[in-house]
């Protein structure tokens, strides 16, 4: 609770002037800006509240009320309202003398405390269903508990490290890799190139019926051998159109598997530009 510290007035009859303090070491009564002052000015006026010191600061009525309860180890679920209200009003009276506008907030809480105390003095009224009436202090206790939780949470947040206060962000410049990045292939362009291959393959169809076992792994190896020693190979040059659509399908699946396993790279400079394929690694 805020307390005020004032210097007591000197007694009138001490064998000297009551308004002049005794000299310090019988030489100077005080020091002003480091210089000794041997006598007080005759026209010096000291207001009565010039030496008052407030020792505590509160954030509002709930903060003051919680302080009074916790300082005296009162049970917050069973607040002795008479004692707490007396101490609360004592603080409000000191505050009212210095800041009437700020004291209005505290006076509202004081009125609530007096109302709760008066309700406790009256005999309780039974509710319509015969249940016990609610304790008049219940709403005040709920607000105090919620305020205390928020206050503790704010203290925990304030204790966490803060950028600029507890630590500084380190900034390190890292050189980016100078390896060129090839442009990625648009899926629509890849599908269009595949459709064009299928259209051209149908022009080379023949009527010989035979059963042929086609292996995706075998065609993957075939494509890798075809790409070795080549910097870039055009997409269409990887496929043999005269072997029919079945071989084209297997070859296309083999190329997609190689791309999925990051063994080949499929690139295109821009939309509708030719598509190229190359090895993603350097063979020994």
């Amino acid at each position: 609770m805020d307390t005020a510290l004032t210097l007591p007035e000197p007694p009138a009859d001490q064998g000297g002037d009551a308004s002049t303090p005794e000299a310090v070491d019988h030489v100077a009564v005080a020091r002003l800006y480091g210089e000794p002052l041997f006598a007080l000015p005759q026209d010096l006026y000291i207001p009565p509240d010039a030496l008052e010191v407030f020792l505590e600061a509160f954030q509002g009525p709930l903060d003051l009320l919680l302080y009074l309860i916790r300082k005296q180890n009162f049970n917050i679920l069973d607040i002795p309202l008479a004692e707490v209200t007396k101490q609360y009003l004592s603080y409000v009276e000191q505050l009212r003398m210095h800041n009437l506008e700020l004291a209005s907030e505290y006076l509202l809480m004081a009125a609530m405390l007096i109302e709760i105390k008066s309700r406790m003095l009256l005999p309780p009224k039974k509710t319509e269903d015969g249940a016990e009436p609610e304790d008049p202090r219940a709403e005040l206790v709920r607000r105090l508990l919620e305020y205390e939780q928020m206050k503790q949470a704010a203290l925990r947040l304030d204790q966490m490290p803060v950028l600029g206060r507890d630590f500084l962000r380190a900034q390190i410049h890292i050189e980016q890799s100078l390896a060129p990045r090839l442009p990625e292939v648009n899926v629509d362009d890849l599908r269009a190139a595949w459709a064009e291959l299928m259209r051209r393959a149908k022009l080379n169809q023949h009527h010989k019926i035979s059963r042929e076992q086609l292996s995706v792994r075998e065609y993957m190896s075939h494509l890798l051998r075809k790409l070795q020693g080549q910097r870039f190979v055009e997409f269409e040059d990887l496929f043999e159109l005269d072997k029919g659509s079945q071989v084209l399908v297997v070859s296309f699946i083999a190329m997609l598997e190689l791309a999925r396993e990051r063994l080949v790279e499929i690139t295109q400079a821009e939309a509708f530009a030719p598509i190229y394929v190359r090895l993603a690694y350097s063979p020994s």
Side-chain angles (χ1 to χ4, degrees), residues 100-134:
L100 184 60
E101 182 178 353
L102 181 61
S104 60
E105 302 179 13
Y106 292 82
L107 287 172
L108 181 61
M109 176 61 70
M112 181 184 296
L113 292 174
I114 295 173
E115 179 192 5
I116 294 174
K117 181 59 179 177
S118 62
R119 289 170 57 190
M120 294 179 63
L121 294 175
L122 296 175
K125 295 182 180 180
K126 294 287 185 179
T127 58
E128 295 180 357
D129 55 359
E132 289 293 331
E134 186 181 17

Side-chain angles (χ1 to χ4, degrees), residues 173-182 265 278:
H173 180 71
I174 302 177
E175 293 290 342
Q176 299 293 328
S177 175
L178 299 179
R181 294 186 59 185
L182 299 175
E265 292 180 352
R278 75 164 191 171

Side-chain angles (χ1 to χ4, degrees), residues 196-260:
E196 177 63 19
L197 280 179
M198 291 298 296
R199 187 188 66 79
R200 293 171 57 185
K202 291 180 180 179
L203 301 177
N204 297 281
Q205 288 182 351
H206 52 82
H207 298 286
K208 183 178 179 180
I209 300 174
S210 61
R211 183 177 180 182
E212 184 178 4
Q213 296 289 341
L214 300 176
S215 170
V216 174
R217 284 292 174 185
E218 179 181 348
Y219 277 87
M220 289 171 66
S221 301
H222 176 69
L223 290 177
L224 290 176
R225 288 194 298 270
K226 209 167 190 179
L227 291 172
Q228 284 184 2
Q230 302 289 335
R231 184 178 180 185
F232 289 98
V233 177
E234 195 168 350
F235 176 78
E236 297 178 354
D237 295 342
L238 288 177
F239 301 93
E240 301 175 1
L241 302 179
D242 56 344
K243 291 188 177 182
S245 60
Q246 292 85 354
V247 175
L248 283 179
V249 171
V250 175
S251 300
F252 185 66
I253 295 175
M255 187 197 68
L256 294 179
E257 283 292 325
L258 291 172
R260 185 176 67 86

Side-chain angles (χ1 to χ4, degrees), residues 149-169:
Q149 290 177 357
M150 294 300 103
K151 186 175 182 180
Q152 291 177 354
L155 289 176
R156 289 195 295 268
L157 287 176
D158 187 63
Q159 292 172 358
M160 296 177 65
V162 177
L163 176 63
R165 185 191 69 181
D166 303 311
F167 65 93
L168 298 176
R169 181 186 289 112

